[in-house]
Amino acid sequence: MGTGGRSGLRPGKGTAEGVTATATAAVASCQYRCIECNQEANELYRDYNHGVLKITICKSCQKPVDKYIEYDPVIILINAILCKAQAYRHILFNTKINMHGKLCIFCLLCEAYLRWWQLQDSNQNTDPDDFIRYAKEWDFYRMFAIASLEQTAFFIGIFTFLWVVRPMTAEKKPNFVLLLKALLLSSYGKLLLIPAVIWEHDYTPLCLRLIKVFVLTSNFQAIRVTLNINRKLSFLAILSGLLLESTMVYFFQRIEWDIGSDCAVYKPQDF
């Protein structure tokens, strides 16, 4: 079996002390999920010593609990980009990723840079005065604050909707902490904003809209996989988030404090 996907696995999935020790330790808690049917699993594989591994078969669907543990990370990333539920379950439940905060900050910086770039492009001022340079720097911080508030509003809209309909989402209480991490991770598409701005061309407005659609689609899949709910509820949750985010955008526009929001119509410049 390949070993490309094992480097990112959480410790404790196998043991070099034999099958008995592995099975005994695994009974303690069901910390993994089957990527096919979303059922809980005690382990992903068993280590029969000397590097001989056997992938665990799910008792519910009779398929491997997580086939991605022997896949190369690049293949897993491609499947995640294609929004496959199995890849999302592997990443969210069966791996240990602690980069949610850093990824969120970096995505917000990308979004703030896009808005700042649009602001500077619409206000051509070549005055080298220090005050002008300071004002431009303040504009970037302002765009970062606005992007943060709008994303917060988007998440609040999603969580509010899911809290209201939570009796319909699952038999047990939803894990909103895990959902927040899933939403932050699934927003990685915002990283594409920087290349779209750097390689500026006539199709940049279309690219920005497609990036927005891709991010929303990833968020939709993250909600569906994390809470194991149907597509209708996930779609309504995204709409609720967009509604509250649009309200925040309208508020900023009323006080004339925003420009180039993702929810607003992008105004192409003369390239």
Side-chain angles (χ1 to χ4, degrees), residues 1 5 19 25 32 52 84 88 95 97 111 117 155-156 167 170 178 195 212 238 260 263:
M1 297 191 324
V19 178
Y32 310 114
V52 179
K84 289 189 175 182
Y88 272 71
T95 60
I97 299 180
E111 195 169 347
W117 168 76
F155 288 165
I156 290 176
L178 179 61
K212 180 67 175 179
I238 292 294
C263 290

Side-chain angles (χ1 to χ4, degrees), residues 42-106:
N42 294 324
E43 57 188 0
L44 298 181
Y45 64 84
R46 289 193 177 187
D47 190 343
Y48 287 87
N49 291 331
H50 308 295
V52 179
L53 305 178
K54 181 180 179 181
I55 297 179
T56 304
I57 301 299
C58 178
K59 297 179 180 179
S60 177
C61 65
Q62 301 303 313
K63 295 181 180 179
V65 172
D66 192 345
K67 61 183 180 181
Y68 285 114
I69 63 175
E70 58 178 353
Y71 280 33
D72 190 91
V74 175
I75 302 299
I76 299 174
L77 176 61
I78 292 175
N79 281 266
I81 292 175
L82 295 176
C83 292
K84 289 189 175 182
Q86 294 89 342
Y88 272 71
R89 291 192 184 103
H90 168 77
I91 294 172
L92 295 176
F93 298 122
N94 300 337
T95 60
K96 185 178 181 180
I97 299 180
N98 295 316
M99 55 180 295
H100 314 87
K102 295 179 180 178
L103 180 62
C104 175
I105 296 298
F106 196 71

Side-chain angles (χ1 to χ4, degrees), residues 35-247:
I35 65 172
E36 302 292 343
C37 64
N38 201 45
Q39 289 296 316
E40 294 182 342
N42 294 324
E43 57 188 0
L44 298 181
Y45 64 84
R46 289 193 177 187
D47 190 343
Y48 287 87
N49 291 331
H50 308 295
V52 179
L53 305 178
K54 181 180 179 181
I55 297 179
T56 304
I57 301 299
C58 178
K59 297 179 180 179
S60 177
C61 65
Q62 301 303 313
K63 295 181 180 179
V65 172
D66 192 345
K67 61 183 180 181
Y68 285 114
I69 63 175
E70 58 178 353
Y71 280 33
D72 190 91
V74 175
I75 302 299
I76 299 174
L77 176 61
I78 292 175
N79 281 266
I81 292 175
L82 295 176
C83 292
K84 289 189 175 182
Q86 294 89 342
Y88 272 71
R89 291 192 184 103
H90 168 77
I91 294 172
L92 295 176
F93 298 122
N94 300 337
T95 60
K96 185 178 181 180
I97 299 180
N98 295 316
M99 55 180 295
H100 314 87
K102 295 179 180 178
L103 180 62
C104 175
I105 296 298
F106 196 71
C107 288
L108 288 175
L109 287 172
C110 292
E111 195 169 347
Y113 177 79
L114 169 65
R115 300 180 184 208
W116 179 82
W117 168 76
Q118 292 176 327
L119 179 62
Q120 302 307 314
D121 201 40
S122 62
N123 183 22
Q124 299 293 341
N125 191 331
T126 58
D127 193 334
D129 186 81
D130 290 340
F131 178 77
I132 299 298
R133 288 197 294 268
Y134 175 78
K136 290 183 177 181
E137 182 180 350
W138 160 248
D139 284 336
F140 178 81
Y141 297 142
R142 180 163 58 96
M143 294 300 109
F144 181 83
I146 292 173
S148 302
L149 290 174
E150 289 180 6
Q151 179 169 283
T152 300
F154 177 68
F155 288 165
I156 290 176
I158 291 176
F159 282 108
T160 301
F161 173 82
L162 294 174
W163 178 262
V164 172
V165 301
R166 70 185 186 280
M168 302 165 52
T169 59
E171 295 180 358
K172 58 183 180 181
K173 184 178 179 181
N175 189 342
F176 286 120
V177 175
L178 179 61
L179 177 59
L180 177 60
K181 293 180 179 180
L183 288 172
L184 293 176
L185 282 177
S186 61
S187 298
Y188 68 93
K190 292 182 179 180
L191 300 177
L192 298 173
L193 292 172
I194 296 302
V197 172
I198 293 177
W199 287 288
E200 182 181 339
H201 52 73
D202 293 339
Y203 296 100
T204 297
L206 176 61
C207 292
L208 296 178
R209 289 192 177 95
L210 291 177
I211 291 173
K212 180 67 175 179
V213 172
F214 175 72
V215 172
L216 291 177
T217 303
S218 299
N219 293 152
F220 165 85
Q221 191 71 302
I223 295 173
R224 191 170 75 89
V225 168
T226 304
L227 300 183
N228 196 27
I229 59 178
N230 57 50
R231 290 181 174 86
K232 180 181 178 181
L233 289 177
S234 300
F235 180 72
L236 292 176
I238 292 294
L239 286 183
S240 300
L242 284 176
L243 179 61
L244 191 56
E245 182 183 2
S246 299
T247 303

